[in-house]
Amino acid sequence: MNFELTEEQIAVRDAARDFAQNVLKPGVIERDNEQRVAHEEIKQLGELGFLGMMVDPKYGGGGMDTISYALAMEEISKVDASVSVLMSVNNSLVCWGIEMYGTEEQKQKYLVPLATGEKVGAFCLSEPEAGSDATSQRTTAEDKGDHYLLNGVKNWITNGNTASIYLVIAQTNPELGHRGINVLIVEKGMEGFEVGAKEDKMGIRGSDTHTLNFTNVKVPKENRIGEDGFGFKFAMKTLSGGRIGIAAQALGIASGAMELAIAYSKEREAFGKPISHHQAIAFKLADMATKVETARLMVHKAAWEKDQGINFDLSGAMAKLYASDIAQTVTTEAVQVHGGYGYVKEYHVERLMRDAKITQIYEGTSEIQKIVISRSVLKD
Ligand code: CAA
């Protein structure tokens, strides 16, 4: 067993850290207040290769391993979880899905601009009446011979307006249940496709979450990924990998809040000494550090399993469940360490506390992770 990072992994982590601290941090409070997407910074992130990290270099990607991706996700999430969710969806759901299951034509046409950051992708599974119960798709993709006719509504779509390439899950053969579901690549600008209302969210306010409306959108057959009926399996497989990304995001939110709490505890004095010298605070920091380190080990194990070609459904679900839970407690404790200052925007921890909550909800709620985990441990 080797816990040491390679030189390349360290370089990726340090580059992500520099970018987060120097480029993302200065405007993050303002973007959160104004619910503004960091378009310019995201462009730079793409140019640095962070939007197609694991994609084969022949398709414009970085050819990196999942550990490097998790390290970068942690560093970016320490500062700006709104940017890291875009990064996670683009890397692990959209790029990975097309690279694993797309045709060569789809890769050339869609994966290359996504991996280079020229375009951003979105993953469209959730619907007003199909969240956790993802097989209950109401959006329909009617087979019309050379094309599908897409009709329906998707909601909670991350990168809803920023994206221009959308992977849309829809039902083609209701009588076949989940085996009748397809996944189609939809482009912004296709007739009948409209980006709807933007959500006003508690956290990740610099990420644009939208409803999407599809009315008789003609999607060419060649835009279907995989065999007819592969859509639900596609969603499950990509979400398994996506959960490592969100686990790394939760880890980053927690470790970012912990780092701020440590720094503050050394500066702030009470009763004649820095508050870090009071056991009440030092023990909080000890608990935070233990939780963060445990989450990091779980995230890296899941990432390592993915890199080794080992089934990572279980380790990814466990990592997401645990990291998103400790992100709640660690960020709440970081606010507590800061006292009144923690409750105001300037000190960053209140934003991290708000951002943490979503990691227990998207890409499978904590309850869904427990379904995946319990089914696995109960399997004969
Ligand atoms: N890999 C491959 N196939 C899988 C799979 C996996 N990890 N998990 C399930 N499947 C297959 C099953 O084998 C089954 O296929 P067969 O019948 O052919 O064997 C099929 O999928 C249906 O599986 P289940 O019977 O287990 O289905 P279920 O209705 O009990 O649901 C579930 C399973 C795990 C609860 C699933 O519905 C689920 O994950 N729900 C959560 C959805 C989710 O994560 N949504 C997030 C939205 S995306 C998002 O948040 C992105 C963003 O913008 C940030």
Side-chain angles (χ1 to χ4, degrees):
M1 201 177 288
N2 183 2
F3 290 101
E4 225 175 331
L5 298 177
T6 64
E7 277 183 23
E8 197 194 3
Q9 288 163 344
I10 291 170
V12 171
R13 184 194 63 193
D14 292 351
R17 183 176 297 168
D18 282 352
F19 185 83
Q21 298 296 332
N22 299 322
V23 180
L24 293 176
K25 196 164 186 179
V28 66
I29 294 174
E30 208 173 274
R31 289 194 298 274
D32 176 70
N33 277 337
E34 296 170 5
Q35 302 192 63
R36 184 159 47 80
V37 176
H39 289 296
E40 189 47 46
E41 293 82 354
I42 289 162
K43 197 164 154 262
Q44 289 179 45
L45 197 66
E47 285 160 6
L48 287 169
F50 285 111
L51 293 182
M53 293 183 71
M54 295 167 288
V55 174
D56 191 318
K58 75 178 177 186
Y59 299 115
M64 291 176 226
D65 58 12
T66 315
I67 302 257
S68 300
Y69 168 59
L71 291 166
M73 277 296 298
E74 180 180 347
E75 293 303 323
I76 302 290
S77 305
K78 281 180 185 177
V79 174
D80 194 338
S82 295
V83 169
S84 73
V85 68
L86 178 143
M87 185 176 150
S88 178
V89 168
N90 205 70
N91 275 285
S92 34
L93 298 183
V94 185
C95 284
W96 191 81
I98 298 176
E99 185 166 24
M100 282 303 287
Y101 304 109
T103 62
E104 187 54 32
E105 291 71 26
Q106 289 170 347
K107 290 178 195 174
Q108 292 299 341
K109 188 169 175 188
Y110 298 113
L111 181 58
V112 173
L114 286 164
T116 54
E118 190 193 317
K119 291 187 177 169
V120 168
F123 184 82
C124 314
L125 175 68
S126 302
E127 299 185 354
E129 286 160 284
S132 291
D133 183 9
T135 56
S136 302
Q137 294 289 306
R138 304 272 167 96
T139 298
T140 53
E142 215 182 319
D143 191 337
K144 292 285 185 187
D146 65 341
H147 67 272
Y148 287 100
L149 206 55
L150 189 62
N151 278 290
V153 179
K154 293 286 173 183
N155 69 350
W156 314 119
I157 304 305
T158 304
N159 310 337
N161 198 27
T162 301
S164 48
I165 297 171
Y166 300 78
L167 302 187
V168 182
I169 321 291
Q171 182 59 263
T172 297
N173 292 301
E175 64 281 5
L176 295 180
H178 68 79
R179 295 194 184 101
I181 291 173
N182 278 309
V183 53
L184 307 177
I185 305 174
V186 176
E187 292 180 53
K188 193 183 243 167
M190 281 182 170
E191 205 180 328
F193 170 32
E194 184 198 75
V195 176
K198 179 177 169 174
E199 302 294 344
D200 183 357
K201 307 189 297 292
M202 167 187 180
I204 56 162
R205 289 169 62 80
S207 157
D208 63 321
T209 309
H210 283 261
T211 297
L212 305 178
N213 301 304
F214 303 93
T215 313
N216 292 327
V217 183
K218 273 186 173 181
V219 184
K221 264 276 167 72
E222 64 258 27
N223 281 26
R224 187 187 74 210
I225 300 179
E227 295 296 305
D228 189 18
F230 179 63
F232 191 72
K233 288 244 158 111
F234 173 90
M236 291 296 105
K237 283 170 184 282
T238 49
L239 277 169
S240 270
R243 287 164 186 166
I244 299 176
I246 300 304
Q249 180 186 51
L251 164 65
I253 294 170
S255 58
M258 180 186 74
E259 286 175 11
L260 290 168
I262 291 171
Y264 182 80
S265 73
K266 290 179 183 168
E267 282 166 18
R268 173 73 178 174
E269 294 201 358
F271 305 102
K273 55 185 177 184
I275 60 169
S276 58
H277 290 198
H278 292 288
Q279 200 177 60
I281 300 298
F283 277 17
K284 278 191 197 303
L285 298 174
D287 285 340
M288 288 157 85
T290 306
K291 289 185 170 91
V292 164
E293 187 58 18
T294 308
R296 190 176 287 122
L297 289 170
M298 293 180 83
V299 170
H300 290 190
K301 169 146 183 293
W304 177 83
E305 284 188 355
K306 181 162 175 282
D307 288 334
Q308 301 305 311
I310 299 169
N311 186 309
F312 56 90
D313 293 345
L314 178 61
S315 58
M318 285 178 165
K320 183 179 183 290
L321 176 66
Y322 184 77
S324 62
D325 278 354
I326 67 107
Q328 309 306 303
T329 44
V330 170
T331 53
T332 306
E333 286 294 74
V335 171
Q336 193 68 16
V337 169
H338 282 74
Y341 293 100
Y343 205 64
V344 296
K345 294 189 186 258
E346 191 187 335
Y347 285 79
H348 296 281
V349 283
E350 67 81 34
R351 185 187 68 261
L352 292 169
M353 185 177 159
R354 285 186 285 108
D355 288 351
K357 183 60 202 172
I358 191 62
T359 64
Q360 288 182 316
I361 299 173
Y362 58 22
E363 299 206 23
T365 60
S366 293
E367 292 72 19
I368 289 293
Q369 305 314 320
K370 287 182 190 177
I371 291 180
V372 173
I373 296 164
S374 60
R375 281 183 183 172
S376 173
V377 298
L378 291 169
K379 202 167 59 187
D380 292 326

